[in-house]
Amino acid sequence: MKGKRRQRTTVVIAMTLIAGLGATVPAAADDPAYAFRDPRLSVDQRVDDLLARLTLDEKISLLHQHEPAIPRLGIQAFRTGTEALHGVAWLGKTTVFPQAVGLASTWDPALIEQVGSAVGDEARGFQQDRPDGWGLNLWAPVVNLLRDPRWGRNEEGYSEDPYLTGSISTAYGDGLTGGDPDHLKTAPTLKHYLANNNEVHRATTSSDLRPRVLHEYDEAAFKPAIQADAATGVMSSYNLVNGRPNTVSPDLNDVVRTWTSRDLLNVTDAFAPGNLLPATQNYYPTLAEGDAAALKAGIDSFTDNSADSGPTVTAVNSAIQQGLLKESDIDTAVSHILAVRVRLGEFDPNGGTFGSIDKSVINSPAHQKLAREAATEAAVLLKNQNALPLKKSAKDVAVVGPLADTLYTDWYSGTLPYAVTPAKGIASKLGTEVTSSEGTDRIALKDTATGKYVTAGTAAEGAALKESAESGTASQFDVFDWGSGIVTLRSAANGKYVGYNWSNFVNDQVQPNGWFVQQQFKLERQDDGTYLLRYAGYETGESWWSNPVYLGPTGDDGTLGLVSKERAAHYAKDVVRSGLDEAVAAVKGKDTAVVVVGSMPSINGREDHDRADMGLAPSQEALVKAVHAANPETVVIVENSYPTTLGALQKEVPAVLWTTHAGQETGNALADLLYGDANPAGRLTQTWYQSESDLPSILDYDIIKSDRTYQYFKGQPLYPFGYGLSYTSFRYGALKHVDGGYEVAVTNTGRRAGDEVVQLYTHQRTSRDKQPLKQLKAYARVSLKPGETKTVTLKLRTKDLAHWDVTRSKWVVESGTYDVLVGASSSDIRARTSLQARGETIPARNLAKVTRAENFDDYADVRLVDESKVRGTAVGSTGDGAWLKFTDAQLGSGARTFTAQAAGAAGTIEVRLGSPTGALVGTAHMDGTASAYDYETVSTDLTSAAKGRQDVYLVLSDGLRLSTFSLR
């Protein structure tokens, strides 16, 4: 059925089922004679029975995220949307695993499945108490491709590669579901469908996906987990794709549901239904019309207005009254919801297969051990000039840097049950104390006009900042530099960070946090050497922010508030303690200096905020240089969530180890790696670029044309996709073809046991279309003892070589020679061979058939737009002279007429041959249409030159939309 229920009268279904059971309608809702409570029946039978028992009002109530209880049937409340990206989030202390990009860096699906299973267990563990926000529909994993490392949510995704993303997400999903699609441990939902890889204007920007990018890249990341029944639905993303909001994308039904025969529960992102209205996307004038369109497109559950289901219920009822929806539309969505609830065991005796899991699993010793293993496998050794591993006998160690003795969590992280910092992990490993310094300046800010200092509260709860004559500890602050001019201020008086509470500035926060991260400031140096203190919480960048942003005394007692720049206090910055000097003193004469630098996940890019740059904060880079100058035995740990432009720094220091914010066991994992008790084997899942200049606009989604990701990038990366070093070495044998793939013998030629990640790439030598330079097709993480050899089998089938043929809108394997490349990274190929594929030759285009304009081969100055509000993609011109190229068209003895469906502004479509300025063979004129969705037929006669095999160009005037055309 491909996830679509049979259309029939539900009352008849229910009565038929009951008759088949030889039962009558029971008196009690929990009586097993109710068919929906009988686990012996199929999921479809149980859903049909329950659906038949619900009133229309009850069914509509289930369409909102917060589904109410239905007491008369003994049905409890249900909620979609427990966050579980790398551990259960927002419900209390739970096991915190490495960030998602770190999990993927393990290249170890077996381990990832174990992590997913642990997270699923802990989600189940909360069922005994059902805290606010609890539910078994989990919003994880995130499978959006990490196409651009500047994306604020880079930490949430897995890789820039769809194959790797698909395999890791399937493994994580298998763990979350429990591996039995009929009896779900939890119900994972893939985020965020589709092409969501920028935060700037995320609700109004449209991601242009030409057909090849759509099918070969973005869809390819989502399909594997759905196809493997490792996920139970998708969340539609905020953005638009090809001009249409994903909340109403027909692909939710027309594509995603074709990937599985099981019912999927598709949900909207939070508040996304409201984005359809005029204030944001201006796609539908009323919520009733928007919600109706979303349901028909394939949305089943609305995440809107938080826990208040009223607006959704009202809108859906209104849509029914207006004839926009039928009860059968409601039944379809509700049946998808109920199917997942049945499979979760909700209506089974004792909660079904997984109902007995209790809260003892939460942060269990087994999960702590798994967290340490995951954090260890996730780290990537970027550089090592015989500096690592360290000798345990060299115990005089200094661990310095802003992340040396702290662990940070991100927006979707769980609450750490404990924190093993790098310094604590190393100290534990050595069995002795280590010298530690954050390397941050401690300053005092003195108002040059009054001579008073900015002072904070000394109690644990802090107090409102004010100016006073106090010049002791209360007036001192540690300054953490996070780059782009942003700093955080931690009060020396109580160790708490200063933040804004919409009224005052108070030193009361353990870490920077919250949606607006109101602990952000800038110290703006003035020409006279003084500083203005600027408040830089994220809300100051919102369009509705109208308050001033500078700090100055606003009351008689000197309490600081927001004032205009003209009234801002000018402060002298007195350095009470130089962080650089302290760090240098800490490392001098030590056996080893370990410098831990990196990011603060709430500040250096996060949901709703892309990164301004990918470099280390200037003061952190200066710290590394100063420490290395003071102690040549310096090892650098970069702890962040994204590729970093390390510049000259990575050339200067002898060793660099990268890790994500890796959870509670970060310090133990790093210590194991630094001292050789574990051999680093993590591999990069993204290209690390030399600089931001290697990247086009973050809004450019055409990886083929703009040469994005390792597949198409022609420059020299800082570190390539798949890269990572080891403490041992590996030799590869010859590549041998076997049934279903290739074999290669890999030998550990070093003195240490270690893991190698064997990666198989292909390259198509000749093609009608632009092909990737390399494309990952298989990989395996293999453990080898010193001197040991293992034969690694990597699957590769002929159909794996297919790409999307835009001339016929289908997958095709072209006949020809393909390189098969196996190695340690995308740029470190150790063995190679070639294969001759017996496929087909893509024929010349037949433009006599009606051709969709979106199926071009090349273009300039166009956008992909919505053909109608319901479905279809057209091409819109963004300027006079915009053009589309259709390569190798067979016009035969001569095409006589050009005909097109066009809409929008009045203008022309020129038909040219060979180039956008080539021979003009016809010009079609359009008068313009009242609506961008009202298409008219335009045509023109063609000259006799329109014959033979030609590259055909259509040159469009500004504001014109082109849907289809033909040359006959």
Side-chain angles (χ1 to χ4, degrees):
M1 291 189 296
K2 295 298 182 185
K4 297 179 181 176
R5 304 201 140 265
R6 299 178 296 279
Q7 297 296 313
R8 53 181 175 161
T9 306
T10 54
V11 173
V12 174
I13 296 172
M15 295 305 296
T16 301
L17 288 171
I18 293 168
L21 289 171
T24 57
V25 177
D30 59 353
D31 192 309
Y34 266 115
F36 76 84
R37 293 194 179 277
D38 189 343
R40 297 170 299 173
L41 298 179
S42 70
V43 173
D44 280 356
Q45 288 174 315
R46 298 174 72 183
V47 169
D48 289 340
D49 176 71
L50 178 51
L51 192 65
R53 300 180 189 281
L54 299 174
T55 67
L56 178 59
D57 284 344
E58 288 170 338
K59 287 186 282 192
I60 292 173
S61 75
L62 300 180
L63 298 178
H64 189 264
Q65 178 188 22
H66 292 263
E67 302 175 28
I70 302 175
R72 70 180 186 86
L73 293 175
I75 294 174
Q76 292 183 288
F78 184 86
R79 181 185 187 273
T80 62
T82 295
E83 300 291 354
L85 185 59
H86 54 109
V88 181
W90 305 355
L91 299 183
K93 292 181 178 180
T94 58
T95 309
V96 179
F97 294 95
Q99 291 176 311
V101 70
L103 292 176
S105 298
T106 67
W107 292 60
D108 190 344
L111 174 68
I112 301 307
E113 184 173 350
Q114 292 180 55
V115 172
S117 182
V119 175
D121 284 346
E122 297 201 9
R124 278 279 179 176
F126 280 105
Q127 70 182 317
Q128 308 300 334
D129 295 331
R130 288 198 166 201
D132 184 45
W134 171 86
L136 292 177
N137 173 240
L138 306 186
W139 286 354
V142 171
V143 298
N144 294 112
L145 291 162
L146 305 183
R147 166 197 64 99
D148 194 307
R150 296 169 296 188
W151 186 35
R153 303 179 76 166
N154 197 86
E155 71 223 31
E156 297 183 35
Y158 290 134
S159 172
E160 67 183 36
D161 181 78
Y163 177 82
L164 181 58
T165 295
S167 67
I168 296 295
S169 59
T170 299
Y172 192 67
D174 276 338
L176 292 174
T177 63
D180 180 354
D182 286 324
H183 303 90
L184 299 169
K185 183 187 294 185
T186 64
T189 302
L190 304 183
K191 301 191 334 185
H192 313 78
Y193 193 87
L194 184 72
N196 176 201
N197 187 226
N198 65 274
E199 295 303 292
V200 57
H201 304 306
R202 61 181 181 164
T204 54
T205 55
S206 179
S207 306
D208 284 13
L209 299 184
R210 58 195 287 191
R212 282 194 64 197
V213 176
L214 172 66
H215 295 297
E216 296 175 24
Y217 194 63
D218 284 279
E219 282 182 358
F222 280 82
K223 184 176 180 179
I226 297 291
Q227 192 173 46
D229 292 323
T232 59
V234 300
M235 172 189 284
S236 59
S237 55
Y238 288 121
N239 59 292
L240 300 82
V241 165
N242 298 346
R244 182 180 297 105
N246 278 326
T247 306
V248 292
S249 171
D251 286 357
L252 295 168
N253 272 334
D254 298 349
V255 177
V256 177
R257 283 199 159 98
T258 67
W259 294 338
T260 179
S261 61
R262 296 184 181 276
D263 285 294
L264 298 178
L265 166 53
N266 295 333
V267 306
T268 73
D269 208 337
F271 294 92
N275 288 342
L276 293 167
L277 303 182
T280 305
Q281 293 169 340
N282 195 25
Y283 212 69
Y284 288 102
T286 66
L287 191 61
E289 291 168 276
D291 283 2
L295 281 170
K296 288 189 170 184
I299 288 296
D300 305 305
S301 177
F302 293 92
T303 315
D304 208 8
N305 298 291
S306 300
D308 182 6
S309 63
T312 295
V313 170
T314 299
V316 173
N317 275 308
S318 177
I320 292 174
Q321 293 165 8
Q322 296 176 55
L324 301 173
L325 288 173
K326 299 177 181 178
E327 185 169 356
S328 60
D329 296 317
I330 309 302
D331 288 347
T332 297
V334 172
S335 69
H336 296 153
I337 296 168
L338 295 180
V340 169
R341 293 180 66 171
V342 166
R343 291 157 64 195
L344 283 167
E346 179 180 348
F347 310 124
D348 290 358
N350 301 314
T353 304
F354 300 101
S356 62
I357 298 176
D358 62 29
K359 58 186 178 182
S360 66
V361 301
I362 298 172
N363 191 40
S364 66
H367 291 179
Q368 294 173 10
K369 181 181 178 182
L370 184 62
R372 182 169 181 167
E373 183 180 357
T376 304
E377 285 202 18
V380 181
L381 183 60
L382 298 178
K383 181 182 181 181
N384 187 22
Q385 293 179 328
N386 298 316
L388 293 174
L390 302 173
K391 296 179 180 179
K392 293 178 188 174
S393 59
K395 294 192 173 186
D396 195 7
V397 177
V399 186
V400 301
L403 283 81
D405 202 21
T406 190
L407 295 185
Y408 288 123
T409 54
D410 59 55
W411 180 250
Y412 287 107
S413 175
T415 302
L416 292 170
Y418 58 86
V420 182
T421 68
K424 288 184 174 65
I426 292 172
S428 176
K429 175 71 64 177
L430 297 177
T432 184
E433 293 295 319
V434 298
T435 303
S436 184
S437 165
E438 291 174 316
T440 57
D441 287 347
R442 177 164 290 185
I443 67 169
L445 296 173
K446 182 179 181 180
D447 190 329
T448 56
T450 65
K452 293 182 178 180
Y453 288 91
V454 175
T455 57
T458 57
E461 66 273 15
L465 266 60
K466 62 181 180 180
E467 290 189 0
S468 73
E470 169 67 45
S471 60
T473 304
S475 68
Q476 297 173 7
F477 300 89
D478 298 323
V479 183
F480 292 81
D481 175 18
W482 301 113
S484 301
I486 297 294
V487 300
T488 52
L489 302 173
R490 188 181 63 195
S491 171
N494 66 353
K496 299 287 184 67
Y497 286 86
V498 176
Y500 183 54
N501 62 10
W502 302 101
S503 177
N504 298 117
F505 293 92
V506 182
N507 57 318
D508 62 351
Q509 298 298 308
V510 175
Q511 286 188 0
N513 62 83
W515 181 254
F516 292 115
V517 195
Q518 295 177 306
Q519 299 80 34
Q520 299 182 84
F521 299 89
K522 290 186 176 182
L523 285 166
E524 296 183 350
R525 193 177 191 281
Q526 305 301 295
D527 291 340
D528 61 0
T530 63
Y531 290 84
L532 302 185
L533 184 56
R534 181 188 182 105
Y535 173 56
Y538 281 141
E539 76 270 31
T540 62
E542 298 287 345
S543 59
W544 47 263
W545 179 268
S546 59
N547 294 336
V549 293
Y550 289 93
L551 273 67
T554 57
D556 293 339
D557 63 350
T559 298
L560 294 183
L562 293 172
V563 298
S564 65
K565 188 173 184 178
E566 292 73 22
R567 293 181 54 206
H570 284 246
Y571 293 109
K573 185 177 72 172
D574 298 337
V575 178
V576 178
R577 181 196 67 207
S578 167
L580 210 62
D581 292 347
E582 183 184 74
V584 166
V587 303
K588 277 186 176 179
K590 300 295 183 182
D591 296 328
T592 301
V594 178
V595 190
V596 192
V597 293
S599 69
M600 201 288 142
S602 291
I603 293 172
N604 294 108
R606 196 211 65 188
E607 182 174 357
D608 209 29
H609 297 278
D610 295 317
R611 266 176 293 284
D613 63 68
M614 296 186 295
L616 285 178
S619 67
Q620 292 188 28
E621 188 165 347
L623 174 68
V624 173
K625 290 181 178 180
V627 167
H628 183 233
N631 188 332
E633 305 300 322
T634 293
V635 173
V636 177
I637 296 172
V638 178
E639 185 179 337
N640 62 18
S641 317
Y642 49 88
T644 307
T645 52
L646 296 175
L649 189 65
Q650 59 89 27
K651 296 179 181 179
E652 297 173 5
V653 296
V656 181
L657 182 69
W658 175 79
T659 179
T660 59
H661 297 280
Q664 62 206 54
E665 287 286 340
T666 297
N668 283 331
L670 289 174
D672 287 344
L673 291 163
L674 291 175
Y675 287 94
D677 290 327
N679 195 338
R683 300 292 184 263
L684 299 179
T685 68
Q686 293 176 268
T687 302
W688 283 42
Y689 297 97
Q690 299 275 1
S691 73
E692 288 86 354
S693 63
D694 288 328
L695 295 166
S697 166
I698 196 172
L699 300 179
D700 182 350
Y701 277 75
D702 189 348
I703 68 164
I704 299 174
K705 188 176 179 68
S706 59
D707 295 329
R708 300 194 79 142
T709 80
Y710 82 96
Q711 292 190 18
Y712 294 96
F713 182 61
K714 297 174 183 176
Q716 181 65 42
L718 181 65
Y719 296 113
F721 173 84
Y723 174 85
L725 300 177
S726 172
Y727 293 155
T728 189
S729 56
F730 302 95
R731 183 179 66 241
Y732 285 63
L735 198 56
K736 298 178 182 179
H737 181 264
V738 295
D739 186 32
Y742 288 84
E743 285 183 350
V744 62
V746 181
T747 302
N748 183 343
T749 56
R751 298 179 179 178
R752 290 177 176 270
D755 288 5
E756 173 70 325
V757 178
V758 184
Q759 304 163 40
L760 184 148
Y761 299 85
T762 61
H763 168 66
Q764 186 173 346
R765 291 186 186 178
T766 59
S767 174
R768 177 198 181 276
D769 301 307
K770 182 178 178 180
Q771 292 294 333
L773 303 172
K774 291 186 185 76
Q775 196 168 11
L776 183 70
K777 296 296 183 181
Y779 67 90
R781 180 164 173 151
V782 57
S783 299
L784 293 166
K785 298 175 183 177
E788 184 180 11
T789 298
K790 287 185 179 178
T791 298
V792 180
T793 301
L794 300 159
K795 293 182 180 180
L796 181 68
R797 301 159 298 178
T798 300
K799 68 178 184 179
D800 297 331
L801 304 173
H803 77 278
W804 188 257
D805 173 21
V806 294
T807 72
R808 295 170 294 172
S809 295
K810 70 171 190 174
W811 291 99
V812 60
V813 175
E814 290 183 282
S815 295
T817 303
Y818 293 74
D819 294 314
V820 181
L821 314 165
V822 170
S825 79
S826 60
S827 65
D828 185 5
I829 302 303
R830 306 289 186 85
R832 66 178 65 221
T833 187
S834 62
L835 67 87
Q836 297 296 319
R838 294 181 180 179
E840 58 181 298
T841 299
I842 297 175
R845 277 186 179 271
N846 180 4
L847 297 183
K849 293 183 177 180
V850 174
T851 299
R852 298 203 62 82
E854 65 179 307
N855 285 326
F856 50 72
D857 290 292
D858 199 3
Y859 62 95
D861 300 321
V862 299
R863 296 295 308 270
L864 292 170
V865 296
D866 49 339
E867 184 177 11
S868 74
K869 288 194 173 184
V870 177
R871 60 174 33 84
T873 297
V875 177
S877 170
T878 59
D880 288 333
W883 54 264
L884 302 174
K885 179 184 180 182
F886 298 87
T887 301
D888 190 27
Q890 177 56 269
L891 304 181
S893 59
R896 301 289 180 260
T897 306
F898 169 80
T899 305
Q901 296 297 308
T908 61
I909 305 172
E910 295 178 348
V911 183
R912 293 183 178 271
L913 304 178
S915 77
T917 57
L920 177 65
V921 296
T923 303
H925 295 269
M926 191 182 79
D927 296 332
T929 59
S931 165
Y933 303 121
D934 293 333
Y935 288 84
E936 67 178 36
T937 302
V938 298
S939 62
T940 184
D941 293 335
L942 301 174
T943 70
S944 60
K947 63 182 179 181
R949 293 182 75 154
Q950 303 273 1
D951 290 345
V952 174
Y953 286 77
L954 302 183
V955 183
L956 314 178
S957 58
D958 188 22
L960 186 146
R961 286 185 170 206
L962 180 63
S963 172
T964 61
F965 71 94
S966 63
L967 279 75
R968 296 175 178 169

mmCIF file of all heavy atoms in Angstrom, residues 159 237 647:
data_model
loop_
_atom_site.group_PDB
_atom_site.id
_atom_site.type_symbol
_atom_site.label_atom_id
_atom_site.label_comp_id
_atom_site.label_asym_id
_atom_site.label_seq_id
_atom_site.Cartn_x
_atom_site.Cartn_y
_atom_site.Cartn_z
ATOM 1 N N SER A 159 27.111 14.525 7.837
ATOM 2 C CA SER A 159 28.151 14.558 6.818
ATOM 3 C C SER A 159 27.697 15.376 5.621
ATOM 4 O O SER A 159 26.503 15.610 5.416
ATOM 5 C CB SER A 159 28.486 13.138 6.359
ATOM 6 O OG SER A 159 29.354 13.125 5.251
ATOM 7 N N SER A 237 10.760 20.931 6.873
ATOM 8 C CA SER A 237 11.631 22.027 7.323
ATOM 9 C C SER A 237 10.964 23.384 7.101
ATOM 10 O O SER A 237 9.964 23.512 6.394
ATOM 11 C CB SER A 237 12.962 21.973 6.575
ATOM 12 O OG SER A 237 12.762 21.993 5.179
ATOM 13 N N GLY A 647 44.379 27.968 9.443
ATOM 14 C CA GLY A 647 45.418 28.827 8.897
ATOM 15 C C GLY A 647 46.808 28.295 9.150
ATOM 16 O O GLY A 647 47.070 27.101 9.082
#
